[in-house]
Amino acid sequence: WEKDYKLGSKPCGEAVLDNALDSLPLTERDKADVTLNRIKRVRLKFPDGLPERVVDVDSGAVTVDKPRLLETLAEVVEAEGVQILRGKLFTREQAVRLDGVDMIVDASGFVRATHVGEGVVAPVLRGYHRSTGFISGDELLVEFDADGMGYFWIFPYGDNYNVGFGGLYPPGTLRAKLTHYLTKYGLNDAYDVRGAGIVVSGPLKQWWGYLYGRPVIRIGESGGVVNPLLGEGNREAILDALGHRDIRERVERATNMFKAVIHVGSQAYKLASRLSDKELEDVLEGRRVPWRL
């Protein structure tokens, strides 16, 4: 069941990191068709006058046309005999009537169709803007906000930009923050600006369960597998669906780090400015928590 007629309708930064695209059942031509940009570096800007960081990326990071990616995947699974019911919500009545079902897979995101929502959800606003040449087509720009836990981004999106702001802010503040940064970078003609929620509270403690006597597995954002430090869930969802236990462990560590960052506030930015590129990457990826925090 897919509640929308269009796949990939949820606003998203549309970046996929660490060669995760290669884990999907796509041909090289398919991957080339959905890939818009190959990313070589990430420019990180910090508040309080701290120097910016430019971190080289050599792990197969890309930005993608996400709706096109999901439509391509839909064609693959439909060719294997899967039926996708578009514009159809998954309901209790449907669950009760299911026959011969080995498992229910809940990939409904923060909505979590098979149980009551759990955890902290951060609001995000995302839009697009024509390219102005401010960033190159192979780099991501992220500017952390001084007033709380959140950041503004500019990602290349073919000949356009994917722009947005997200974090632990009230919705009204979020809109004001996005407007502020768009104006700061001369991106005043953003279009298709839409909001969404992203789970930032880490993996669910119990990710296996039963619904009306049938086993349920919640994967990706439905299971809380989103890196709260990066706001990134595309790669996490792909690897979680493949059963990579490591990705859940990394998200759990990133979540613990996220909670620590909330506690220390702006001091975390000073720490980030002192870490080496490798240490900073390890922290953001949830591989380790630095003893200096």
Side-chain angles (χ1 to χ4, degrees), residues 169-177:
Y169 298 82
T173 302
L174 199 75
R175 173 70 66 172
K177 285 290 183 182

Side-chain angles (χ1 to χ4, degrees), residues 37-38 83 106 108 121 157 171 199 209 253 257 278:
N37 303 81
R38 298 189 180 278
Q83 182 182 11
D106 184 350
S108 58
V121 176
Y157 191 78
V199 173
R253 287 191 292 270
M257 185 66 189
K278 182 62 169 64

Side-chain angles (χ1 to χ4, degrees), residues 170-187:
T173 302
L174 199 75
R175 173 70 66 172
K177 285 290 183 182
L178 176 61
T179 300
H180 165 76
Y181 284 104
L182 290 174
T183 300
K184 176 179 178 178
Y185 289 104
L187 305 174

